[in-house]
Amino acid sequence: PPRHSNFHTSNFGGINNIAQPGGAKAHAAGLGIANDFGVDSDEEFFIPTSNLGHSVKSLGRENIINHYGHYIHDEHRSPYASHLYQQSKELLQEQQDKYIRKMQAVRDEWGAWTDIDDGSNDDRPVADFTKVSYKDMPNADFPKFSWQTDDDYVGKLIPEAKALVKRVTEGIYAEYGFPFKNKK
């Protein structure tokens, strides 16, 4: 695989993902990661094949390039993935503060889960669902003092859960261009 001097001048996708239309067009124009690989050259790629004679040959040069591209941009697997390693502490703190302000604005607009458990009942008994069909335990079978039997806790949990589902639903509709907000 080719070496890159800067892995994070752009994300993986767009012109770098040749399995997508934008990336295929960019590759045809000589742009993107695929050109560093020499896709159109005679360079040999090792493409694994199955030992099963009836299997479909599904890997190609494009798959290998996409796999490599995802690897070098995968923050959990790649040693190249963090562009923050060489940044100053001041810049990192500035970015963190900006992120916290951004997330606070999201919470202010959309709301957020309110932790309803103050931690005073961390030693509550836990129901054993292993012997219950479909995990549908009758109320009478829950251990005494479990959270399921605490009317105060459940009375706070249900509205929080419903509000969360409403926020997620609103977010999905907004993402698809049909926001509930700003509609009369």
Side-chain angles (χ1 to χ4, degrees):
R3 289 252 180 238
H4 294 279
S5 59
N6 184 348
F7 288 92
H8 295 280
T9 54
S10 65
N11 64 5
F12 185 69
I15 68 168
N16 291 318
N17 189 343
I18 62 174
Q20 300 296 323
K25 288 178 187 173
H27 169 59
L31 304 171
I33 194 173
N35 294 293
D36 294 336
F37 260 91
V39 169
D40 296 327
S41 72
D42 293 331
E43 180 181 335
E44 281 298 313
F45 272 54
F46 171 71
I47 301 176
T49 56
S50 173
N51 292 330
L52 300 173
H54 64 275
S55 67
V56 176
K57 250 183 108 173
S58 59
L59 281 179
R61 295 165 79 90
E62 293 84 1
N63 300 108
I64 304 296
I65 293 163
N66 282 340
H67 178 72
Y68 173 72
H70 282 290
Y71 168 73
I72 65 172
H73 286 84
D74 186 334
E75 64 183 290
H76 302 291
R77 297 188 310 152
S78 174
Y80 312 110
S82 182
H83 60 285
L84 301 175
Y85 290 136
Q86 297 176 10
Q87 301 298 333
S88 68
K89 287 183 181 180
E90 293 79 18
L91 178 65
L92 294 174
Q93 186 61 51
E94 179 185 326
Q95 289 178 338
Q96 182 66 24
D97 293 343
K98 181 180 175 183
Y99 174 77
I100 290 170
R101 287 191 303 273
K102 174 184 171 185
M103 292 313 299
Q104 186 59 50
V106 169
R107 288 181 184 97
D108 291 344
E109 180 176 353
W110 295 99
W113 181 267
T114 301
D115 190 5
I116 58 173
D117 195 353
D118 61 7
S120 62
N121 296 311
D122 286 347
D123 57 349
R124 290 180 189 262
V126 178
D128 180 7
F129 288 94
T130 59
K131 298 177 180 126
V132 181
S133 297
Y134 304 106
K135 311 296 183 229
D136 191 13
M137 183 177 285
N139 289 346
D141 292 349
F142 281 107
K144 190 174 182 182
F145 304 115
S146 67
W147 69 264
Q148 292 93 337
T149 64
D150 183 341
D151 290 338
D152 184 51
Y153 182 86
V154 172
K156 293 175 184 174
L157 175 71
I158 299 298
E160 276 299 315
K162 286 181 178 180
L164 174 63
V165 170
K166 182 180 179 198
R167 287 192 302 272
V168 169
T169 303
E170 288 177 1
I172 291 169
Y173 274 90
E175 186 71 21
Y176 281 96
F178 300 99
F180 292 173
K181 296 181 179 208
N182 299 328
K183 287 198 167 196
K184 306 288 184 221

